[in-house]
């Protein structure tokens, strides 16, 4: 691919990602998920080796989580997890753990949440969805005992 074509693809991907972020900030997670999906499709075809592809998957995982689409969240977060771990970015592990928790897979949820806590530190519980915060805190405390 020519450099200008690659620049054009990157520009389009970033524009779609910015649109997705705007929709998420406004609480329109369905539109956000659509924009993230468009950005991912474009990046996967035109930016094969670019690490942005994993960041995009973190974004769509967040939108899926907020829509209650746990399986889609889990799939996207798993794809982004290694890249996020390498960059000390806890979002993929945090979303993965919470989606696994909501879907009843406690052992896997706790492993992902422990990974996120190791990156976040003392503010870990503040990053957990308030709906599940107390229950997750109890599970993690019981596991540590």
């Amino acid at each position: 691919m020519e450099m200008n074509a690659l620049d054009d693809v990157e520009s389009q991907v970033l524009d779609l990602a910015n649109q997705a972020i705007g929709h998420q900030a406004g609480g329109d997670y369905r539109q956000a998920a659509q924009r993230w999906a468009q950005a991912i499709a474009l990046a996967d075809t035109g930016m094969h080796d670019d690490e942005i592809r994993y960041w995009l998957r973190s974004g769509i995982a967040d939108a899926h989580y907020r829509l209650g689409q746990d399986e889609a969240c889990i799939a996207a977060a798993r794809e982004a997890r290694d890249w996020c771990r390498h960059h000390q970015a806890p979002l993929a592990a945090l979303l993965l753990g919470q989606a696994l928790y909501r879907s009843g897979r406690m052992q896997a949820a706790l492993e992902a949440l422990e990974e996120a806590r190791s990156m976040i530190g003392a503010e870990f519980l503040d990053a957990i969805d308030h709906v599940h915060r107390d229950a997750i805190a109890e599970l993690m405390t019981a596991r540590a005992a």
Side-chain angles (χ1 to χ4, degrees):
M1 184 176 289
E2 289 181 33
M3 198 56 159
N4 288 341
L6 181 60
D7 290 343
D8 188 46
V9 169
E10 182 177 12
S11 176
Q12 291 175 44
V13 166
L14 292 174
D15 182 53
L16 288 164
N18 284 327
Q19 289 177 39
I21 292 166
H23 286 299
Q24 277 183 239
D28 189 350
Y29 303 112
R30 193 161 312 286
Q31 283 294 320
Q34 290 175 357
R35 295 302 183 277
W36 285 122
Q38 292 170 333
I40 288 168
L42 190 56
D44 284 353
T45 59
M47 301 172 71
H48 304 289
D49 298 326
D50 198 305
E51 291 185 359
I52 196 171
R53 295 169 51 244
Y54 302 105
W55 173 73
L56 296 170
R57 283 166 171 78
S58 292
I60 201 168
D62 186 36
H64 285 310
Y65 178 80
R66 292 173 190 275
L67 288 167
Q69 299 170 342
D70 290 334
E71 292 308 313
C73 174
I74 290 165
R78 282 185 172 151
E79 287 184 62
R81 189 175 182 185
D82 286 341
W83 180 84
C84 286
R85 184 184 306 128
H86 178 74
H87 290 84
Q88 289 296 299
L91 184 60
L94 187 65
L95 293 167
L96 177 62
Q98 291 180 96
L100 287 165
Y101 171 81
R102 281 198 314 208
S103 64
R105 294 175 260 181
M106 298 305 162
Q107 185 61 36
L110 289 171
E111 290 171 12
L113 291 167
E114 284 292 342
E115 179 181 314
R117 181 165 63 178
S118 73
M119 287 185 256
I120 296 172
E123 293 84 30
F124 169 74
L125 286 177
D126 294 337
I128 297 291
D129 186 341
H130 73 280
V131 174
H132 307 291
R133 187 176 297 145
D134 292 341
I136 287 173
E138 278 184 41
L139 279 172
M140 293 182 83
T141 300
R143 181 179 186 195

